[in-house]
Amino acid sequence: RLFVLGFPKSGTSSIDTALSACGYRAAHSHLRDFCSSHMLPINGSTVRSERDVRRQGCTQLRHRAVPRGRDAVVGHLMKEAYEHGEPLLAPFADIDAFTQLDSTLPPRLAFWPQLSLLEQLYAQSNASLFVLNTRNGTAWLRSVSKFKDLRERIVAADLPGLPPGEGGDDAALAIDTPV
């Protein structure tokens, strides 16, 4: 398995697209269904519908029960597994790569396993590859501030090292090293 540990807006979508194109079953923040013959994500960034998948030549569409809403979010599922004393990866038998682990929706339930559960994740992931993707701190701040309401969600969240209400000004999130 592969785990991308970088923050949102640090290239995680690009990594997800590349891995999915190479046949990996990747979870980018949420779970999704996969085409079993081509491994193209359905309702993901590569194709948008079952019809699009069939148009690409997939004839063996494999549906699995994918939870919707909050229950489909990788970060929430890992947190629930941890709180119930279960292995963190128990809900993810079909997943080869995790390209965005964190969840920022809703902010009061935000959870970033790559910050809060990294030691446990590493201990439970034998023979896995962990990738720390980075981005220039100034460019990351600019991107986070421009992407929908991501900055507001981060400010409202209770994250390790960043209590709720912090991060509203650039100085609070200023990072001299890449993120």
Side-chain angles (χ1 to χ4, degrees), residues 17-179:
T17 299
L19 290 173
S20 295
C22 291
Y24 284 84
R25 294 165 297 184
H28 185 75
S29 182
H30 291 76
L31 296 180
R32 54 190 169 199
D33 288 337
F34 294 90
C35 169
S36 60
S37 66
H38 288 79
M39 295 305 169
L40 295 173
I42 297 171
N43 296 325
S45 58
T46 307
V47 293
R48 298 201 185 282
S49 69
E50 181 175 328
R51 190 169 129 210
D52 290 343
V53 171
R54 295 199 190 287
R55 213 178 294 146
Q56 301 245 352
C58 177
T59 57
Q60 299 173 346
L61 193 61
R62 177 175 51 90
H63 289 285
R64 61 186 170 94
V66 175
R68 300 292 179 208
R70 188 178 84 76
D71 292 335
V73 178
V74 171
H76 292 300
L77 290 169
M78 281 190 183
K79 182 178 182 182
E80 287 175 6
Y82 176 74
E83 289 172 346
H84 291 98
E86 299 169 1
L88 298 178
L89 302 176
F92 309 106
D94 293 345
I95 303 300
D96 300 317
F98 297 86
T99 57
Q100 187 168 338
L101 293 168
D102 52 84
S103 167
T104 58
L105 286 173
R108 64 183 169 71
L109 297 177
F111 190 71
W112 295 38
Q114 70 268 47
L115 297 177
S116 299
L117 298 175
L118 183 58
E119 289 180 25
Q120 293 89 337
L121 190 59
Y122 182 76
Q124 295 178 23
S125 304
N126 296 336
S128 292
L129 178 65
F130 290 80
V131 176
L132 178 58
N133 52 310
T134 64
R135 184 176 185 179
N136 170 279
T138 303
W140 178 78
L141 273 173
R142 186 173 34 253
S143 184
V144 164
S145 297
K146 290 180 6 180
F147 184 75
K148 301 179 184 176
D149 64 343
L150 180 57
R151 178 81 174 254
E152 290 78 22
R153 288 184 272 151
I154 290 172
V155 170
D158 186 8
L159 303 174
L162 189 69
E166 296 292 320
D169 58 26
D170 285 354
L173 287 182
I175 301 169
D176 293 331
T177 57
V179 295

